Amino acid sequence: MAAHVAPVRNETEALAGYLAQQQDAFRTVVFGLTDSQAGRASTVSALTLGGLVKHVTAVQEYWLSLALAAPGTPAPAAGADEDHLDGFRYDEQDGLTPLLAAFDDVSERVTAAIGAVDLDAAVPVPDAPWNPKDVEAWSVRWVWFHLFEELTRHAGHADILREGVDGATLFELVAAREGWPETPWLKPWKPAVSAS
């Protein structure tokens, strides 16, 4: 994806474009990583890039289910609490490939839903300790903006984690993925050459 969202003509295009750009940030941040590197905790936290991709996949699934059910409430998933706790755990044995396939699948479904679901439809506020008690419903519009906020926050976390893994920064990674030419101030990322 280019460094900037394409020009937009309306709110729906803006939501779809900016969400797609944040979704793509996760594809970019794991670009060139091995399964082992995706599982490496590179800060004092136990958070890994693989775990973060797994988490934002689940986050998108959750908010998408709320938007698609509006104005009703989707049935809670079985084991939702346990799933949330497990949602940051990356299994290196499973690898990045199936994880990214699930991420791509939900990302496509979110993008498709943005143009298909009424932005003004009411989304009942789920019962959770962190949700307000004095608000009965949000709009689908609010859900998409909240999802944008979630992805943006976690994309920032991912940037920091990636720098800790191998020093790569987002623009270097985008340049490598997009095939940008090298400039005096921007060198596309290349994997480190191991001394053998």
Side-chain angles (χ1 to χ4, degrees):
M1 172 170 272
H4 298 287
V5 173
V8 296
R9 295 169 296 182
N10 55 52
E11 182 180 26
T12 301
E13 286 184 6
L15 285 166
Y18 279 90
L19 270 167
Q21 185 184 45
Q22 291 309 307
Q23 290 164 337
D24 193 64
F26 291 93
R27 274 303 213 149
T28 300
V29 82
V30 297
F31 178 73
L33 288 182
T34 65
D35 292 339
S36 175
Q37 287 173 314
R40 185 179 304 157
S42 63
T43 68
V44 296
S45 163
L47 190 60
T48 66
L49 285 164
L52 199 51
V53 171
K54 183 178 176 185
H55 173 70
V56 295
T57 300
V59 165
Q60 289 192 94
E61 283 287 1
Y62 174 74
W63 289 104
L64 177 62
S65 73
L66 293 180
L68 292 176
T73 304
D81 290 340
E82 296 82 21
D83 290 344
H84 180 75
L85 295 174
D86 186 54
F88 287 98
R89 294 186 191 108
Y90 168 72
D91 185 350
E92 184 182 322
Q93 301 307 312
D94 292 339
L96 273 174
T97 300
L99 189 62
L100 290 171
F103 175 79
D104 290 344
D105 173 66
V106 72
S107 294
E108 283 181 29
R109 289 185 287 118
V110 164
T111 302
I114 290 170
V117 180
D118 178 8
L119 293 177
D120 293 318
V123 177
V125 175
D127 184 32
W130 48 84
N131 287 339
K133 303 300 178 208
D134 59 343
V135 177
E136 288 185 29
W138 294 309
S139 66
V140 169
R141 174 182 290 102
W142 184 96
V143 167
W144 298 141
F145 277 109
H146 179 71
L147 184 55
F148 176 75
E149 174 194 19
E150 286 266 359
L151 292 176
T152 303
R153 175 183 303 119
H154 291 314
H157 295 149
D159 288 344
I160 292 167
L161 294 173
R162 178 60 190 260
E163 284 190 48
V165 168
D166 68 355
T169 63
L170 185 65
F171 275 110
E172 295 168 339
L173 292 165
V174 171
R177 273 187 79 201
E178 297 287 319
W180 295 354
E182 186 171 315
T183 70
W185 55 271
L186 179 62
K187 298 185 181 358
W189 173 84
K190 293 178 184 165
V193 178
S194 61
S196 331

